[in-house]
Amino acid sequence: MRKILEDLRWRVSASRARRARAKSKATFIGVTGSSGKSTVTALLGHILAAHRPTYARVLANTFNSLVSTLYKRMTQAGEVDYVVFEAGASGIDTIRPMAEMLQPHVAVVTMVRLEHVARFRTLENVAVEKRAMVSALRPDGLAVLNADDPYVADMAAGAGCRVVTFGMAETADYRVTDIRAAYPDRLTFSIHWRRGLLQLETPFPAEHFWLPTVAAVATALELGVPPDKVAAQVATFQPVVNRCAVLVTEGGPQFILDAAKAPWHSINLALDMMAKATSSRKRIVLGQISDYAGSTKKYAFAYQTARGIVDQVIYTGDNAHRSRASQTDRDCGRFVELRTAKEVSDHIKRTAVPGELILVKSSSNLHLERIALAWTHDVKCWVPVCGKSEGCHTCGLYELPYEQHRAHVMRRRRAKVWRQFRGLLGGGSS
């Protein structure tokens, strides 16, 4: 009976979402790609919000989230002119249903990379999945595509709508040049487009963020946002939590938190960022590499590259033993192997040098962001793997021991129900 009720509730929610989409006069923008889509969605939403009322759904990128966006969040936000939704692929044929419900006016595709290896197997399969967002566009729609990625560029063929491209390629409609970033100096670059030159100063600490930035900027310019307003919004943007977000502690280290995703193709990007950064001391904390949890070769290669860049490399998690670090490196402290985030946190607290730069890189399951949070909060949740998909910043319960989370959430839910009940009785919501 419970399953029947849940299925009925879901059907009703989906039906409401479709009706809400049909009634809305907003411009709907779907953002997808193997990496960079969260930053594109958040940045584009930030830019558009300075132009007209906008609702952007970041990180929650599933079909269920889309349903909630259409029939709940948009209603709560009031009438909007733009809706920006990030669509993530969790397996074969997961984007198509989202694209069909979203019915986008604009589709943005960042890149095609082989993530979720066990599910997709080949780049071609990933490309087919991402193409679904472009295929859902109407003839009067707009596709914003990465000209440097052949799999994405090929989506222009047969798109059946207007296409603009971005990238470093000479043929790109929005061509990027003069890319520079060396933390603490943030990313700057120039965009050449049909109306001239646009120079951008961003808050990002690494060069590879030029790609999601230009994707968002190109889309905003195509939607009519003035260039000066675009540049101003880019400069004031706050990077997405755990996507190379910077945390500077008082009298302690500077952290770059990149602990939401760690696909293999992103490891070298993170290492390159650290190589170009300037600091009195540099350290890297590496947790789990996505899709390659059991690959000693990958962890060993990452260590050999990292040890030539920073003063100390710390491996943590169940794969920390796969570094193949020499005994000499272990003895002199160049390599440290620790199993849990709490052990890493304690180690850094004992050995920290004011102003040093620490990169925290891992897939999300280890929640290594707690290492940095422990410098600004009283972190008490140190369970190695909690099973929650959202990050600690979203969860917000890191100052409570893990075993108290469930009771706290239940109390919060009961309090919410009670407030709603009092409101129905005319007792107010306070």
Side-chain angles (χ1 to χ4, degrees), residues 228-285:
D228 57 342
K229 184 177 289 187
V230 170
Q233 289 300 100
V234 169
T236 60
F237 177 67
Q238 293 296 317
V240 179
V241 170
N242 261 353
R243 264 74 172 181
C244 283
V246 176
L247 173 64
V248 179
T249 65
E250 185 176 353
Q254 303 173 74
F255 290 94
I256 297 180
L257 292 176
D258 197 11
K261 293 179 66 178
W264 178 245
H265 70 83
S266 74
I267 300 299
N268 279 336
L269 297 175
L271 297 180
D272 181 66
M273 172 182 64
M274 291 298 285
K276 292 175 179 175
T278 57
S279 178
S280 58
R281 183 166 76 158
K282 295 188 283 188
R283 292 197 272 183
I284 292 175
V285 178

Side-chain angles (χ1 to χ4, degrees), residues 62-388:
T62 65
F63 190 81
N64 287 357
S65 298
L66 176 59
V67 169
S68 175
T69 295
L70 292 175
Y71 97 92
K72 276 187 179 179
R73 305 294 181 184
M74 283 175 56
T75 302
Q76 295 172 359
E79 189 62 35
V80 295
D81 291 323
Y82 297 107
V83 176
V84 191
F85 181 79
E86 168 191 350
S90 57
I92 298 293
D93 199 35
T94 51
I95 288 185
R96 180 191 55 79
M98 285 188 278
E100 290 178 351
M101 178 171 282
L102 185 65
Q103 299 176 48
H105 300 92
V106 181
V108 184
V109 187
T110 60
M111 67 179 71
V112 169
R113 298 291 187 273
L114 191 53
E115 298 182 23
H116 305 297
V117 176
R119 295 169 185 165
F120 288 106
R121 299 295 181 182
T122 68
L123 283 167
E124 288 74 16
N125 288 338
V126 178
V128 169
E129 189 65 25
K130 305 303 181 185
R131 183 189 287 268
M133 188 62 71
V134 177
S135 298
L137 292 169
R138 293 175 290 195
D140 60 347
L142 170 66
V144 183
L145 306 177
N146 182 355
D148 299 336
D149 187 316
Y151 289 98
V152 178
D154 284 349
M155 295 178 190
C161 63
R162 190 165 67 91
V163 174
V164 298
T165 58
F166 61 87
M168 292 188 286
E170 289 288 338
T171 57
D173 298 307
Y174 291 83
R175 183 168 62 88
V176 175
T177 62
D178 306 317
I179 302 169
R180 295 186 183 89
Y183 185 84
D185 294 336
R186 306 306 174 94
L187 170 66
T188 62
F189 64 92
S190 301
I191 299 177
H192 303 261
W193 63 307
R194 63 180 180 273
R195 288 178 54 185
L197 179 67
L198 181 62
Q199 295 177 316
L200 296 175
E201 296 181 358
T202 84
F204 299 113
E207 289 185 355
H208 62 272
F209 278 92
W210 71 263
L211 193 153
T213 304
V214 70
V217 167
T219 306
L221 291 172
E222 290 295 318
L223 291 172
V225 183
D228 57 342
K229 184 177 289 187
V230 170
Q233 289 300 100
V234 169
T236 60
F237 177 67
Q238 293 296 317
V240 179
V241 170
N242 261 353
R243 264 74 172 181
C244 283
V246 176
L247 173 64
V248 179
T249 65
E250 185 176 353
Q254 303 173 74
F255 290 94
I256 297 180
L257 292 176
D258 197 11
K261 293 179 66 178
W264 178 245
H265 70 83
S266 74
I267 300 299
N268 279 336
L269 297 175
L271 297 180
D272 181 66
M273 172 182 64
M274 291 298 285
K276 292 175 179 175
T278 57
S279 178
S280 58
R281 183 166 76 158
K282 295 188 283 188
R283 292 197 272 183
I284 292 175
V285 178
L286 182 66
Q288 181 164 313
I289 300 173
S290 307
D291 294 320
Y292 293 99
S295 173
T296 297
K297 182 178 179 181
K298 299 292 187 184
Y299 285 91
F301 181 84
Y303 173 65
Q304 287 303 316
T305 305
R307 75 180 297 279
I309 294 172
V310 299
D311 300 283
Q312 185 179 74
V313 181
I314 304 168
Y315 269 30
T316 187
D318 292 340
N319 296 284
H321 64 288
R322 300 184 184 278
S323 68
R324 289 182 178 167
S326 68
Q327 191 59 47
T328 301
D329 282 1
R330 293 171 183 269
D331 292 342
C332 73
R334 186 142 197 175
F335 174 78
V336 178
E337 179 182 325
L338 299 167
R339 286 293 168 177
T340 68
K342 181 64 166 66
E343 291 174 334
V344 176
S345 178
D346 291 343
H347 171 72
I348 291 176
K349 284 284 184 72
R350 289 193 305 268
T351 60
V353 174
E356 71 171 313
L357 182 63
I358 301 175
L359 167 67
V360 180
K361 178 70 176 177
S362 176
S363 57
S364 61
N365 63 317
L366 299 183
H367 296 292
L368 295 190
E369 60 269 25
R370 292 175 291 179
I371 296 166
L373 281 169
W375 285 82
T376 55
H377 297 78
D378 183 17
V379 176
K380 294 178 180 177
C381 177
W382 288 107
V383 61
V385 178
C386 68
K388 295 182 180 180

